Amino acid sequence: MKKQRSHTPRIRSRTSRQAPPSPPVLRVSGLTFAYPGRSVLRGISLEAREGEAVAILGPNGSGKSTLLKIIATLALPADGSVFLDRWDVAQHPGEARAHLGVVFQSPALDDKLTVLENLHFHGLLYGLAQPLLGDRIKESLEVFRLWDRRHERVEKLSGGLQRRVELAKGILHKPRLLLLDEPSTGLDPAARLEFWYFLRRILRSAPMCAILTTHLTDEADRCDRVLIMDRGEALAMGSPGELKGKLGGDIVVLQSSDLQKLRRKVHRHFRLDGTLSNTELHLRVPGGAEVLPRLVRSFPELIESATLRKPSLEDVFLQRTGHRLHHESAEATRGDS
Ligand code: ADP
């Protein structure tokens, strides 16, 4: 007994000492950016650690691509800083680029060249020479199960395979950070699943992290952490579970031909403040399973349909902004003062 009691705490303390959080690979602090007459980013901060996939989630025009451009050394912020490991990217863009992999939204492959040729030229651009270049190409293509397709011209490959070639190219020089701009755009559901399988695989096998921009909540849901942005501002940061958990309760979604009237009545009789969204009234309530039938019984003439679900990242966005993620590009691009 004595032996066991003294042994157990020693193991525990050693385990806890062994797992300090790794220092962030990427540290973005207080980033501010403006085009002439238009403020685009205001005080954005963000971190990413080895093994993590971090999503920047926001509607069109919220500043996601601009943030990615600054991290990729393609634009300079007015204020704030970006560190990639020890490199301040504004001060040392060359060093930062050497440790960055970028997969842009629009394909950056030469589709008349073979898979192998595309990777070969990319490797040369990064200063890789034979025999290391050949080894790296083989390694990257094997990770993405593309080795057998290496002699095929890119134009002959499906969209999903082309995206895999882009990823293989993006990690060829073993970057610390992989930047992905709207990586699922143009991919069918099967190719998207495949993309996520391979992204997770490289994040497990190499000491790197990934930042991806998206306007899709289901894509952000797959990430370890999410930065929610709207109109150049960071609204929230956390794991998808934390962000949804903070919202709490259930979401009751009501449809009606007279949403304003329904909203007023719900407020008067239930003391619930709803958010109008398109043709729906969204109510965040504790114990939705009890509240929903009472609502339907109270306003049968007004309620056309009623559904109950757990909060989503879309609800987090709606709660923070008062508008939905997917149909306010016009609002978002209207600009800010
Ligand atoms: P997102 O990637 O979230 O769609 P962007 O970073 O592309 O957002 O754009 C953010 C804002 O900056 C938008 O309002 C957009 O209209 C504006 N913007 C983007 N590029 C330019 C530019 N070259 N000149 C002026 N405004 C720009």
Side-chain angles (χ1 to χ4, degrees):
M1 282 299 284
K2 239 180 181 175
K3 220 175 178 182
Q4 269 183 348
R5 271 204 303 273
S6 62
H7 190 56
T8 311
R10 225 172 36 229
I11 288 175
R12 280 206 192 111
S13 72
R14 197 163 64 202
T15 309
S16 60
R17 272 207 310 272
Q18 274 176 347
S22 60
V25 174
L26 174 75
R27 270 172 301 136
V28 175
S29 313
L31 215 63
T32 298
F33 183 87
Y35 286 111
R38 175 182 283 255
S39 159
V40 174
L41 297 175
R42 288 184 289 278
I44 305 289
S45 297
L46 167 71
E47 283 186 358
R49 291 167 198 275
E50 275 181 18
E52 277 191 324
V54 177
I56 303 169
L57 173 71
N60 288 337
S62 54
K64 306 181 297 294
S65 302
T66 306
L67 176 55
L68 222 60
K69 267 190 210 160
I70 295 172
I71 298 172
T73 77
L74 301 174
L76 275 175
D79 205 359
S81 63
V82 178
F83 275 85
L84 180 57
D85 287 325
R86 65 179 191 282
W87 304 110
D88 179 334
V89 310
Q91 303 294 324
H92 304 278
E95 297 290 351
R97 270 182 229 141
H99 297 95
L100 272 176
V102 186
V103 177
F104 287 111
Q105 207 180 117
S106 46
L109 299 169
D110 188 326
D111 59 4
K112 299 289 176 205
L113 298 183
T114 66
V115 172
L116 198 62
E117 287 164 343
N118 266 284
L119 265 68
H120 183 85
F121 290 124
H122 182 74
L124 293 180
L125 277 180
Y126 276 86
L128 295 173
Q130 299 294 9
L132 181 63
L133 175 56
D135 292 345
R136 288 277 180 86
I137 290 176
K138 186 157 195 276
E139 199 182 321
S140 287
L141 291 181
E142 279 176 344
V143 168
F144 292 98
R145 296 199 193 122
L146 286 164
W147 182 244
D148 294 344
R149 321 288 299 251
R150 65 190 180 283
H151 296 304
E152 290 181 38
R153 279 228 298 265
V154 165
E155 65 185 356
K156 302 273 184 221
L157 302 176
S158 67
L161 277 171
Q162 289 186 7
R163 195 55 56 96
R164 263 155 68 184
V165 180
E166 301 245 21
L167 283 173
K169 197 178 107 171
I171 63 157
L172 189 65
H173 57 293
K174 295 197 185 286
R176 291 280 287 153
L177 171 65
L178 187 61
L179 297 174
L180 303 140
D181 196 10
E182 305 269 352
S184 285
T185 303
L187 296 188
D188 63 35
R192 288 179 63 191
L193 280 180
E194 195 183 76
F195 162 81
W196 273 99
Y197 168 79
F198 283 108
L199 183 61
R200 282 291 171 201
R201 198 172 145 154
I202 53 172
L203 288 174
R204 270 198 309 272
S205 61
M208 60 181 290
C209 55
I211 301 274
L212 60 96
T213 63
T214 185
H215 60 279
L216 304 172
T217 51
D218 59 337
E219 186 141 276
D221 251 319
R222 290 175 176 278
C223 291
D224 301 294
R225 286 182 310 118
V226 183
L227 171 73
I228 301 184
M229 282 184 64
D230 190 38
R231 300 173 203 193
E233 284 186 6
L235 304 180
M237 175 89 203
S239 71
E242 279 164 10
L243 293 171
K244 290 184 278 190
K246 266 189 207 152
L247 213 55
D250 299 302
I251 306 290
V252 172
V253 180
L254 302 175
Q255 288 193 320
S256 170
S257 55
D258 194 341
L259 281 172
Q260 294 290 358
K261 187 170 173 188
L262 179 62
R263 186 192 203 182
R264 281 196 305 275
K265 286 194 167 238
V266 167
H267 180 75
R268 194 174 317 134
H269 294 279
F270 286 81
R271 295 276 149 227
L272 289 175
D273 283 321
T275 312
L276 288 181
S277 160
N278 284 347
T279 57
E280 295 167 346
L281 177 63
H282 289 228
L283 301 163
R284 192 157 47 86
V285 290
E290 282 96 58
V291 176
L292 186 139
R294 284 172 49 216
L295 282 163
V296 174
R297 275 200 302 275
S298 304
F299 315 115
E301 76 294 353
L302 272 174
I303 294 177
E304 289 170 1
S305 89
T307 49
L308 176 67
R309 57 174 175 74
K310 288 289 169 201
S312 65
L313 287 175
E314 174 81 55
D315 296 311
V316 177
F317 186 85
L318 184 63
Q319 190 247 343
R320 300 277 174 147
T321 62
H323 56 266
R324 286 178 66 122
L325 195 57
H326 284 296
H327 70 111
E328 58 288 293
S329 51
E331 271 182 77
T333 48
R334 199 181 294 152
D336 35 70
S337 53

